[in-house]
Every structure is written in structure tokens, then in C-alpha cells.
Amino acid sequence: MSGFLSRLGWIVLAILGLGLLAYGLDQVGLEPISLLEAGLLAMTPLALAAVGECVNEKAGVVNIGLEGILLITAVVGVWVAEQFGSGIAGLIGGMVVGALIGLVLGLLAVYGRADQIIAGMGLNLFALGFTPYLLMSLWAFPGIHIFPRELMVPRWITPLGQISPVTLAAILLAFLAHILLHHTVLGFRIRAVGEKPEAVDVAGVRVDGLRLFTSVLGGALCGLGGAFMPLAWFGGVVKEISAGRGFIALACVVFAGLEPLLALAAAFLFGLTEGIAYAVAITPGVKERIPFYFVNMLPYVVTLLVVTLVIGRRRFPRTIGRPYTRE
Amino acid sequence: MRRARPLLESLVAVGIGLIAGGALMLPFRYHPLKAYQALFQGAFGTPHDVMETLAFATPLMLTAVTFAVGVRAGLFNIGAEGQMYIGAIGAVFAASLLPLPPGLHILVATLVAMICGALWSLVPALLKIWRGVHEVISTIMFNWIAFHLATYLAIYYLAEPGRAERTRPALPTARYPILAEGSTLTAVIFVAILFCLAVYFLLWGTRMGYEMRLVGENPEAARYAGVQIGQALLWSFLIGGMAAGLAGASQIIGRPPAWSLYATLGNVATLGFDGIGVALVGRNHPLGGILAAILFGALQHGGRFMEYHAGVVSELVRAVNGLIVITLAIPELWTLVRRRLTL
Amino acid sequence: MGPRIEMRGIHKVYPDGTVALRGVDFRLGPGEIVGLLGENGAGKTTLMKILSGLLQPTRGEIRIDGRPVRFRNPADALRAGIGMVHQIFTLVPPYTALENIILGQEGSNLWLVKDRARDQVQRLLEEVGLSIPLDTPMELLPIGVQQRVEIAKVLYRGTQTLILDEPTSALTPLEVDELFRFLRRLKEGGRSIVFITHKLREVLEISDRIVVLRNGRVTGEISTREATPELLAEWMVGRAVVPRVSRSPHPPGEPVLIVRDLEVIGDLGLPAVKGVSFEVRAGEIFGIAGVEGNGQSELAQALGGLRPIHRGEILLDGKPLPALTPIEAYRRGIAHIPEDRLRFGMALNFEVAENSILSRQWEPTFLRGWGRLDWPRILAFTAALLQRFQVIAPGVRAPARSLSGGNQQKLVVGRELAKEPRLILAVHPTRGLDVASTAYIRELLVQMRDAGKAVLLISADLDEVLELSDRIAVMYEGKFLGVGPVEAFTREEIGLMMGGIVPQGRAV
Ligand SMILES: Nc1ncnc2c1ncn2[C@@H]1O[C@H](COP(=O)(O)OP(=O)(O)O)[C@@H](O)[C@H]1O
Ligand SMILES: [Mg+2]
């Protein structure tokens, strides 16, 4: 628990630091509200991918193909939205496809005893080529596709600014994942299977079932995050739309030591960084002084810094990434 | 037999990858057989095509070495992409701005690129050794930082005056000689092959390589054997960085007609990631990597032809690369294939 | 009454082609303790994993009360009342005893309410007479208690047939007695028990009937009352007697290793070796007995240069050793046969030749200029090594994984002995090996002693320590509880000390 608190402390510190930065930006004409809005938007795909992956890794399965899922489901989400004429349908489509990819990876890991790192990387490489191929094949336009504005999932307006319902869902899901892991029988078994699959197996609970479940769950959440990017955030899809977010999500997972709530906090931190980068890039008076390219590096630099500073004594499940076999 | 098996497995994986790639064409009403026919014709149809295929293979065998040297030492170093960007920037700088005599200029530009690549791998290496930061995260972050840094440098400092879309071209003194009229294959391929051979020799013929491989196979046994594990990891990163830097150079001072870096980094982008697949198909062996690079070079060069003649976007080739990697991740597949073969 | 459980014609071929069982018949009646005896690799574990549903037989059938059954997984077997306590425990290390016991039978489907099951677990523990702290994570409990949790876990599922796989290997003699009393109580309560072991003494003490396995076949079956150790040994290894190493009396020489007040910190950051002093003389084997996990590993690692010394002093040939590295240790004449060859001693995917220079790869003998490996010399060295130490290998360039366990270990032992050391550090040198390799390696150690080397033998196998050592010490919780010539102790005394009890009249 002290690990939890110290990590939380780090996040609070980092967020305070960013807040200070935001204050500085405010002085030169930036709006904190728009910063918060941008931060929450940027948090959403990271949080969704990271929360799902936390549960998955607790069960001992690693998916480093999050980036690939984000890419593919971004495109598929838009396509589904256009087919059904509804952004919500697109989100669901992204989720379903993400779940399917999670299922395939899970099957490979559980029954194929695949090397999960290599398989996940293969998925990333696949997506790197498949996404532009899809863009071109679906819309006959290379690298980018803008869809009609009506398909955008509307944001809710609150006194504190706008917020996407998907963002709220992401926050809710992080809490649900926490409850799942720590207060339900299923979570009790999920945590056990990551530590000692033999124990679960001889207790008469199916190891394969648990791991497939978490793999599918992780894929579905990540897929929602992928579809969120074009449909509730950017308004269009480009071939490198996720820009490393799948890996930043992995950093969140590492940082959080597989705790969904901490992963949410970490995602918010990185999201805020991205929000600041975005704000800096569009604010007159600032954008001329700081080259856009350096601003763009910010999320990656912060990710690396945070992971380096707090890596400490994370405890990962003992059998993480390793297939379970009886024979 | 012991040596034939990995080769067979790689071929089966490539076959499965191609078939699955063909399946991806069907929903869009492309014709897989026609497409692949165009692809192979494009890759090997004429001597000129063979040379182009080799030109495509050159950077791939190097970025494959980056990944392979990492795996041999137990690392999953996917930083070739960024190290290659920085290497390319180094090559542009040395080749276009330093006035040096012929011969020496090539050498200097090549070395600068390799050193730049190695330096870019240094921070992930140290983070790994000192803080235990996983290299998948650190190298990916460094790839993206490199992307923005290289773009910035290319546009602000190295751009060709009057043309924003690319950097200054390499001075003629820094260009590797073209091997045949009208081809983009240059003598840099010999340097690349030499580098692969050197890494092969290093890994299996020296104490340093032995210790690196031991760390990869069994870190605890390495400690027992008195190996300085941090040092072995550092070397693995640095050698990988040099390979990636050289790959970057090969696209600048070894690849006409541009002899320069596009501001979008379009003429180097994804070559580092492609190297992962190449390395895996080449069984993380520098020499296997050369063969696999030729195969992937053929796919890339032939892919353009396929796009032109069968209308299939050449990027599909990259998706096939990913499918091959996924296939190679499954050990069970081999048991299945073997059973089929022996029955 | 006929047998409750019957296994008939069981064959098992592992996916990698290993034939573990070649037609085994096995039966078990109610209220019976059957000893399943056999040497390492005989197939005991495989047979019982099949009975407990963890493995599927390649051929053969299982009947319960005469009806054929098929267990697809452990849940099926549990439902039929069969549960197994595995040699490698199947406990979730960060979970408490209570959590481990209820895992899979939490008593509800959605919310985890651990306390609902607590009463039930407590009642069970009282009924069978086991005492377990329910709220401590397993990783903090000693092996003996972990084993009780493992047993409780199986009984909690209503098991009538309990299988125990080598349950005594990590217990002190006192704990073994306690376990045996417990098993007899269970038997009186009507449960049947399969007791797997390779120790004759134990099987003769606890069982009603003995089944001996060798090489995947039943070589003999006998009621315990009629059994003799000689007969069982013959069934077990196919020879009338297990060869004993003969150890001629031999005058020890000067002390080679002197350890004074050594303290070593373990992985958890706490002292694991707490002020140990001893010496090992040239031409003697100094054996350290004790239940594993009492600081032996840390002691060996410190002497081998793998773990820093926190306090105290190590002298080799009278000269104090500096902060050791493995290479420095070797330079000064220490050879180290590490406790787990697969973990420390070799790289399975490396060639035999590469493994034969592991830990010597830096030596100028094996290098040419520029740090290049001198392959011709390495290959010649390996070939000589294989011959000298009777290692059977497909070739010097074959991967080490293609060697049998015994030959892998002979390769490691040979590599270390070939270093021509002053001191040999041998940690569990014969663990898990077949009888022939075991005998050979023990003989080598005695040869080394006779050749005037100092040998420090650390082993959890009490028989091995007693058989080979000139002088012994018993290690308990990081300290020596008794040091002296092997003749000065009785087996019983050593047993008590392994459990932390110093017999009267025995000062440290
Ligand atoms: N998972 C496995 N895969 C392949 N072979 C195995 C496996 N487990 C055990 N074996 C082999 O099966 C044989 C019997 O092993 P085991 O049942 O463990 O014997 P015992 O318990 O009597 O020591 C041995 O030769 C062993 O090497
Ligand atoms: Mg066994």
C-alpha cells in the first residue's frame, strides 16, 4: 500500500508541476480550462488501453500490441461509423474489433504458447502496414480520411468545460477494473493465475479461460480507445493516428504496477502533457518562440522521465508473459 | 538437418504470411495471385530489378542486426528506427557540410552516422542498466523524440536552400559509387554486408560476443561466469546503434537519386521497424539477416510494381511482414508442421 | 472389499517424445497407505499426475469402484475425491493461507467474501488436527507450514484419496515424524493415501503396501510387512546394492579455507548467514547438512564470489581474500559446482564446448589476440574433458540441451574439477540425478579429497553428507548448530539439529 501511496505522490507532484507550467502558460495567454479539456481528451485512449492491460498483465498475459490495436480500431471505427451513420456505432465497432484482436492474441498466447512480446510486436508491425492499406482500400485516399462532422460523438457541456462521454466511461472503467481485481471472485482468480497458474489449475479453475477473458477485455478497452481518437477527438483518421500512444499506455501500466487506478492517474498525467503540448503549439505568442517540434517531444520525454524516476520496486506477477502448460 | 530446420521454419512462416496477406486482398476485390505475380516479377524480373531489390535490402540487413544483437543479449531493442533517423541526420551533416577530400569524406560521413546512431542508443542503454527501464518503452520513446528532432534539424538547419521538402544533398565526394548505370544500388551494400559479417564474427568468435550471448541465454549463469552484465548490455545497444546509424547513412550517401533526407523522413521511415521482421525471419543471425533482407527487399521493391499493376497498395507488404512475425512467435506451429511432415 | 481405485495399462508419452510410463497397473484400496517408490525419473510423478487429472494418459484406463472414468482436468479428479499435493507446491505466494485454501471454492460467485469460508476452513483444520496461521502470506511461511497449507487445500475439497509427491524432501526429521503421525490419523479416518518417495526408510515406515517403479514400469509390489530394504533397492535400481563410495581413512593436511564469523545478507535484505566460522583442510571433505533455505545457498554464493560479504573474513591458504568476484575466486583456486546447474551452471542452448569454458571464457588459454576465442584449442579441451569425466554427448558442438541431466551435471562437475582448484565448493552436486551418475560424482569428490584437495560439500541429502564427509556441520537459520567429525554424531542427533534443537551435551 505504501508503494501505492508513494506512486500516487509522484503523480500528484508531477501534476502539480504541470499545473505550475499551465499557470505560466496562462500568463502568456493560454486558457487552463481548454488545457484541462485537452488533457482529458488525450488521457482517454491512454487510460482505456492501460486499464485493460493492467487486468491482462495481472493474469500473466502481456500485450505489447496495444499500439497496433489502437491503429486498426481507429480506422475500423470510422468505417463502421460511416456504415451505420453513427459515431456511437463506430465506438462499438472499435470495441468489437479490439476484442477480436485480443481474442486472437490470447489464443496464440494460451494455446499456441506464443512468445507474447514477439507476437505483440508482430501485431504492431502488421498495423503499421495494414492501416494505410485500409485507408487506401476503403476511401482511395492515401494516409488520411476526414469523415462528416455529424458522425462525431458529441461532447457534454459542463460548467467546467466540455467532456466526452467516452472520457467518463474510461474513468468509470478504471474504477470498475479496480473493483473487479480486488473485490470479486473473478479478480481473486485473475490475480492468482498470474502468480501461480498451477494453483488455479489444480483448484479446478480453467487457466485458459481466465487468460482468454482478460485478453479479450484488454483488447476491447483498447479498441474503444482506438475508435475514440477519430470519432470523439480528432474528427479524422491518419495512418499514424496513435503516434506511440500504445507504448505510452504500456508505460502507464509499468508505472502503475498493474493497478488500474494508478494507471488512470498516470494516463491523466501524460494526457495533460499532451494537452500542454497541443496548447503551446496553437497559442499565439508562444508558438513562435518554442519550435513546434520540441513541443511535440514533450509527451515522450515526460513518459520516459516519469518511468525512470519511479520505476523502483514494482512487483509484477511471477509468470508474466509465460505460457502455462501442464506437460 | 540442424541448420536446415530454422531455414524451413522461416520459409513456412513467410509462406503463411503471404497467404494471409492474400486473404486480406479478397474483401477489396483485388486478385491475390495476380498481385503476387506482379510482385515477384517486379522484384526479380530483370537484372535491374534484382539490383533494386538489393538496394532495398541494404538498410534492412542493418536494422535487422540492431534487433538481432539485442535479442542475442536478451534485449528487445526496437530503437533502430530512431537511431537510424539520427544516423541519417549525422550523415547529411557530414556529407553535405564538411568539405573533405574524396575517399576520406565517405569514410567520415559513414563513421559520423554510425557514431550518431550509437549515441542515440546510449540513453536507453544506460536507463536499462542503471534503472532497469524496459527497453521497449525507452526505445519507442526515443524513436518518437528522434522523429521530431530529425525533422526539426532537417527543416531548420540542413534544408536545401529554396527547397523545404528535403535536406542539402551529399557532396559528390561523400557519395558511394553507383554500381550500374540507372540503378540505385551503390557500393554501400558491401559495407553493410561487411558489417553483418563483422557482427557475426564478434558474436561467435570473440570473448565479448560469447559473454553477450551468455547474458541473453542465461543471465544468472553469466554472473556466475564473472561476466559484467551491464557492460555486455551496453555493447549490445551500441553495436545495434552503429548498425542503425549505418542504415541511416546508406539511405543518404548510398542511395540515389536524392542523396539527401526528405523533411518527412519518408525515405528512411519504417526501415527500422521492418528490420525486426527481417531479423526474426533471419533467426536473429546476422547472416540469416542478409538473406531475409533480400527477401524483404524483394517484397518492398516488388510491392511498388504490384501497386502499379494490380492496384494493391504497396503498404500491404508491411502488413505481411507483421503477419510473418506473428507466425514466427508461435512455437506450436512448428510442432504441427513437423508432425504433418513426418506423417 | 475390492480396490477403490484401479489404474490399468497406463502409458504416457510426453509431447517431446519422452516415454515416461510403459504400461503401469496400480490400485489403491480404502484406508490404505501405498508407498510409490522409485528413483528419479522412474515415472512416479507422472503416474500420479494422471490419477489427479493433471495429465492425460496416452493409453490405459482408470476405474473407480469398478467404473471407468476419464479425468480431463484436476476438477474432475477432485470431484471423484482424488487430490494431490505436488512436490513443487501449487500455492500463490502473495496470498494468505486462507486465500490459498479457498481458491476455486470461494463460496460465492461474484463478490469475494473471504470470511464466509473462514469458519469452514477452521473447522476442517481442527478436525484433522493441522495448525496453520491463516492470515500470513505464503511467501513468509516456512516450507513445513506451506506443506500443511497444501494438504489443507486438498482436504478442503472433500478429498478421500490423498496423493503426496515426495513430501519429506524439504522437511526436518522431526517434521517428517509429525507428518507421518498426521497421515496415520487420516488413514484411521478412512482416507487412502499414496506416498511417493525415493527413500527406502520412509516407505518402510509409513506404508501398508509398496509399489516400485523403474523406467516407467512396475518392477515389484509387496506388502510392507514382507519387504526388506535389499529387495526394494534391487527393484528400484535393478542391482542388488546401491554402490557406496568407499572412503579410506586419510590424514587431513593444512587448512585451505578458513572462514571467520562470516555474515552474508540474503535476498530479502536480512542476514542469511549469521556469523559462521569453520575451516576446511586439504584432503578432507567438510559437509554441511541442513534443511534447504537455512543460509547454505548464501554461504556458497559468498565463497564463490557471487554475493558480497557483510562481515567476517575468509582466508584461503592463510591469506585473507578481498571482496570476491567469481573470476577472482577462480584465480585464487576455488572451483564452484553451483547448486542448480540449469540456473547457474550452464546455458542449455550453448554448445557443449561453449559450456565447457563457461566461467573460463576470459582466460588467456582460450583466447587469441584481440579477444578472439581460440576455437581449435577450446574444442580440443572439451573433447579431453568429455573423455576424462565420462560425459556422454552427441558431440562437442551439440547443444547442451541434448545431453541427459546426468551428463549435463558431469560436464559441469568436470569443468570445475579441471580447473585444478585448491578448494572445491560442491553444492547439491547430485540432486535429481540417476543412481549411476550420482555414484560417479560422489566418487570424483572422494578422489579429489584423496588427491589432497579441500572439499566443501553442501547438501540437503543427509545420507550424502554422512557418506562422504570427514567432518560435518549442521546449519540452521544461518548458524552452525554442531561441528565435528562425522563419527561424533548419530543420525538422530543430526536430525534434531536440522530442526533447530541442540541435543544435550552438544555445545556449538
Ligand atoms: N513435462 C515433461 N516433458 C517431458 N518429459 C518429462 C516431463 N516431465 C517428466 N518427464 C520425463 O518423464 C520421466 C518420468 O518423470 P517423473 O514422472 O517426473 O519421474 P519421478 O517422479 O519418478 O522422478 C523422466 O524421464 C522425465 O524426464
Ligand atoms: Mg517426481
Side-chain angles (χ1 to χ4, degrees), chain A residues 327, chain C residues 14 16 18 20 39-46:
Chain A
E327 312 216 333
Chain C
Y14 278 106
D16 67 357
T18 312
E39 73 159 316
N40 270 309
K44 309 179 294 290
T45 300
T46 306

Side-chain angles (χ1 to χ4, degrees), chain C residues 38-46 49 84 87 165-166 196-198:
Chain C
E39 73 159 316
N40 270 309
K44 309 179 294 290
T45 300
T46 306
K49 279 187 176 169
M84 179 160 171
Q87 187 175 10
D165 193 357
E166 311 246 7
I196 303 180
T197 186
H198 63 268

Side-chain angles (χ1 to χ4, degrees), chain B residues 8-70:
Chain B
L8 187 74
E9 290 175 358
S10 286
L11 286 178
V12 171
V14 170
I16 292 177
L18 286 174
I19 292 170
L24 289 180
M25 296 182 200
L26 294 176
F28 303 104
R29 301 186 194 293
Y30 301 122
H31 199 300
L33 284 183
K34 232 196 255 163
Y36 282 139
Q37 196 194 352
L39 190 146
F40 283 103
Q41 202 179 345
F44 297 112
T46 67
H48 174 263
D49 288 320
V50 174
M51 280 202 279
E52 290 312 295
T53 288
L54 290 176
F56 274 101
T58 306
L60 295 179
M61 64 181 78
L62 291 167
T63 51
V65 163
T66 307
F67 183 76
V69 178

